[in-house]
Amino acid sequence: MKTTVANCGALGAIKDLSSSELPIGAWTDALNVRFLDGYAGPFLGHGQVYNTPAFAPQFVMPINVAGARYWLYATAAKQYVVTNTGGVTTHTDITHVTARTGVVNQWSGFVFGGIPILNVGDTSRVPMYWDQNLANKFVDLTSWPAGEYCTFLGQYKNFIIAINTTEAGVRFPYKFKWSSPAVPGALPSNYDETVSTSDSGEFDISEGQDPCVFGLGLKSQYIVYKESSTFAIDFVGGAFIFNNRKVFGMSGILNRNCAVEFDAFHFVVTGSDIVIHDGYNASSVLDKKARRHFFQNIDVDNKGMAFCAKNPFLNEILVFFPSIGATSCDRILVYNFVDKTVMYRTAPNVNHAAYGPVDNSLGGNWNQDSDSWDSDLTAWNGPDFTPDTARVMMASADTKLFLLDAAASFDGTLPSVYMERRGLSLDMPDRIKCVTGIRPKITGNVGSTVTVKIGVANTPYDDPVYTTMTYTIGTTIQCDCMVSGRYIAVWIGSGTAAQWRLDSYELFYKDGGAF
């Protein structure tokens, strides 16, 4: 008998349900495997770019300086911009004269009319901006009120938004505050709501006892996330300028930076779920897939480091989080919002990540390419895996800046890669199956190997006993074995191949009877 499992990556990894109850094409576990377009294979890796920063970066943001692509990054006490021109990397110190003591995942920043703005998110330093002159440093935000601070600073239309403020030493955790509207290419001229000629203002989003945490634009709205509720801010003009309405009364946000916008939706990590919403209706993306697994495997003491980023070229949202026992983000839950698949990837102790264009010289550049001849799949000085206008930059606690999907290896090392399916009954849960072979359809570098295992167990809850085989790409047709049991397991993963793709597989077996 033969069973064919086609489109091996169509369903991804489903960890919250019993293995024996899953569709045949689902995987019960996977690490560093990307499920894309119905296929499965190792994630593309990451490589260090821009040499080594002087200090560990805590926040990154793409900017444009006089037509050149730069990345701005903030460390615990300093701010820099970096670029690569003609293969030469230059880090420029643009630190504010009054040092900001930054904390991971408390920074907020954006580019307002071409002007980079940063906020450290404490109760003693005001927001700051940089005029994009490499000879100048960050300075205090123009017209910002003395003695006022905010935990989060954002932008909505041509307004600057402050959330959760401290004024004259008094904390206002529910406050939503906005500037006067800015003219093109300039900063707002006023933040004082008491000035009658200004359109600046404020109000409290005071319903409930949960403080305001984060804000992000969504189509024509601005969404304010509290710890356990969500509100929409609408521009109404006139005497009121803005009003607010409750969107969700039992769903907020886990941390600052735990929401991203994509295709007119928000992807949000809440305190108990991961949801997608359009400002009116929400749906869980992890329910009956990985919801319980995610929250049971995040480190409770360091959950404040979790954050989100997006990888638009590959239709992915990345949820960086510290696994149990980790002190920085060493794991990524990856959600493909087109294929609706869930994946898991190891991360290089990431503090923050952002999407944006990189300098052309970083893509396909010989000096930046650290992979060996055997593992490298890109052409010498040719184009990289993803376009230079759609890249994810990661700021690592290891004092490195990493470019995602820029190599076959993970910073020069091949990672552990595997996908496992347990509990296959092959529609005969009461019968013994004698498995005689597996025929996987794998493509990759000819001569490289992939490890294939077939396991058996008497119940879907027992750990399988595996038989290990080697699949040589371009040579092997079928991996033969002779194992028997009621429930079959399939494991495919790390060998010598750096990059490979599994399209489908066929299992060959005989009915061994009921006992």
Side-chain angles (χ1 to χ4, degrees):
M1 291 184 285
K2 179 181 75 171
T3 292
T4 300
V5 180
N7 297 319
C8 283
L11 299 178
I14 300 177
K15 295 193 175 188
D16 278 0
L17 302 181
S18 295
S19 61
S20 59
E21 306 300 319
L22 295 178
I24 192 169
W27 299 90
T28 52
D29 193 13
L31 182 63
N32 293 321
V33 172
R34 173 173 272 148
F35 301 108
L36 181 67
D37 298 333
Y39 307 121
F43 271 101
L44 293 171
H46 55 268
Q48 184 179 358
V49 292
Y50 295 132
N51 298 332
T52 302
F55 304 95
Q58 296 182 342
F59 179 90
V60 288
M61 182 171 69
I63 60 173
N64 189 292
V65 179
R69 295 172 178 179
Y70 280 73
W71 280 79
L72 185 154
Y73 65 94
T75 72
K78 290 180 174 292
Q79 300 84 48
Y80 296 86
V81 289
V82 61
T83 191
N84 187 281
T85 304
V88 177
T89 294
T90 304
H91 294 254
T92 303
D93 188 336
I94 55 170
T95 303
H96 194 292
V97 66
T98 304
R100 266 62 173 167
T101 303
V103 176
V104 173
N105 212 26
Q106 289 191 12
W107 290 93
S108 51
F110 51 92
V111 177
F112 188 87
I115 303 171
I117 297 175
L118 279 183
N119 182 53
V120 73
D122 63 16
T123 58
S124 61
R125 302 297 181 197
V126 303
M128 55 186 179
Y129 80 98
W130 181 55
D131 66 4
Q132 296 184 296
N133 186 329
L134 293 169
N136 295 338
K137 310 288 187 181
F138 267 106
V139 295
D140 288 350
L141 192 58
T142 302
S143 304
W144 186 265
E148 291 193 11
Y149 316 99
C150 63
T151 60
F152 176 79
L153 195 74
Q155 66 179 112
Y156 174 46
K157 298 183 182 294
N158 57 339
F159 298 88
I160 288 181
I161 303 299
I163 292 175
N164 196 326
T165 65
T166 298
E167 303 171 19
V170 179
R171 188 73 172 265
F172 296 92
Y174 313 112
K175 183 165 287 188
F176 176 87
K177 185 182 181 76
W178 65 90
S179 70
S180 60
V183 299
L187 295 170
S189 60
N190 189 275
Y191 297 84
D192 189 349
E193 70 284 352
T194 65
V195 177
S196 59
T197 58
S198 171
D199 285 336
S200 58
E202 63 181 34
F203 54 66
D204 272 357
I205 307 177
S206 53
E207 185 175 348
Q209 300 183 11
D210 50 329
C212 298
V213 177
F214 185 72
L216 186 65
L218 175 61
K219 295 179 285 189
S220 62
Q221 311 166 75
Y222 191 80
I223 307 297
V224 174
Y225 293 97
K226 303 178 76 177
E227 285 185 350
S228 56
S229 58
T230 302
F231 287 76
I233 309 298
D234 297 303
F235 178 78
V236 296
F240 296 101
I241 311 299
F242 296 110
N243 67 8
N244 71 87
R245 58 180 173 83
K246 181 187 286 185
V247 179
F248 308 117
M250 297 180 64
S251 178
I253 197 167
L254 179 64
N255 297 319
R256 230 168 301 184
N257 303 313
C258 272
V260 294
E261 184 275 336
F262 75 99
D263 292 350
F265 292 91
H266 274 188
F267 177 101
V268 189
V269 182
T270 75
S272 60
D273 202 355
I274 295 181
V275 301
I276 288 175
H277 74 87
D278 61 359
Y280 296 93
N281 302 295
S283 60
S284 172
V285 302
L286 292 191
D287 195 35
K288 296 180 175 60
K289 289 185 178 180
R291 178 183 178 187
R292 292 192 300 274
H293 181 270
F294 173 73
F295 285 98
Q296 289 169 357
N297 284 274
I298 188 171
D299 189 86
V300 174
D301 294 332
N302 294 296
K303 66 180 182 180
M305 293 183 175
F307 68 94
C308 294
K310 58 185 176 182
N311 191 5
F313 180 73
L314 292 163
N315 306 322
E316 293 173 346
I317 306 294
L318 315 174
V319 182
F320 292 80
F321 68 97
S323 62
I324 294 174
T327 56
S328 57
C329 294
D330 64 337
R331 288 288 187 274
I332 312 173
L333 182 149
V334 182
Y335 177 72
N336 185 301
F337 53 82
V338 173
D339 294 342
K340 306 296 190 292
T341 49
V342 176
M343 301 156 269
Y344 301 88
R345 188 190 192 281
T346 55
N349 299 317
V350 178
N351 288 332
H352 186 247
Y355 148 76
V358 299
D359 188 271
N360 295 329
S361 63
L362 294 184
N365 181 278
W366 179 252
N367 291 327
Q368 299 289 346
D369 199 339
S370 61
D371 290 330
S372 67
W373 285 104
D374 290 338
S375 64
D376 203 334
L377 302 182
T378 54
W380 182 1
N381 211 35
D384 214 334
F385 294 107
T386 53
D388 57 14
T389 56
R391 309 310 297 265
V392 175
M393 189 73 68
M394 300 186 296
S396 172
D398 299 333
T399 318
K400 293 181 179 181
L401 292 167
F402 289 115
L403 197 60
L404 192 63
D405 295 319
S409 68
F410 285 29
D411 194 24
T413 301
L414 293 183
S416 173
V417 176
Y418 68 87
M419 46 189 160
E420 181 182 41
R421 172 58 199 264
R422 297 187 178 193
L424 285 171
S425 68
L426 305 179
D427 295 325
M428 298 187 298
D430 57 338
R431 310 290 289 183
I432 299 293
K433 274 75 69 177
C434 300
V435 181
T436 59
I438 180 172
R439 185 175 294 177
K441 292 182 173 61
I442 299 176
T443 184
N445 284 341
V446 173
S448 296
T449 63
V450 175
T451 301
V452 177
K453 301 179 184 180
I454 297 296
V456 291
N458 285 325
T459 77
Y461 312 108
D462 295 338
D463 288 333
V465 176
Y466 277 109
T467 295
T468 301
M469 298 160 284
T470 297
Y471 182 97
T472 302
I473 299 173
T475 300
T476 304
I477 301 297
Q478 178 172 312
C479 295
D480 295 317
C481 60
M482 185 60 69
V483 296
S484 60
R486 286 188 175 85
Y487 290 90
I488 309 304
V490 176
W491 189 104
I492 299 176
S494 298
T496 63
Q499 287 291 314
W500 45 271
R501 190 184 78 186
L502 174 68
D503 296 350
S504 63
Y505 67 86
E506 297 171 326
L507 275 176
F508 297 90
Y509 58 97
K510 299 177 181 178
D511 185 351
F515 300 98

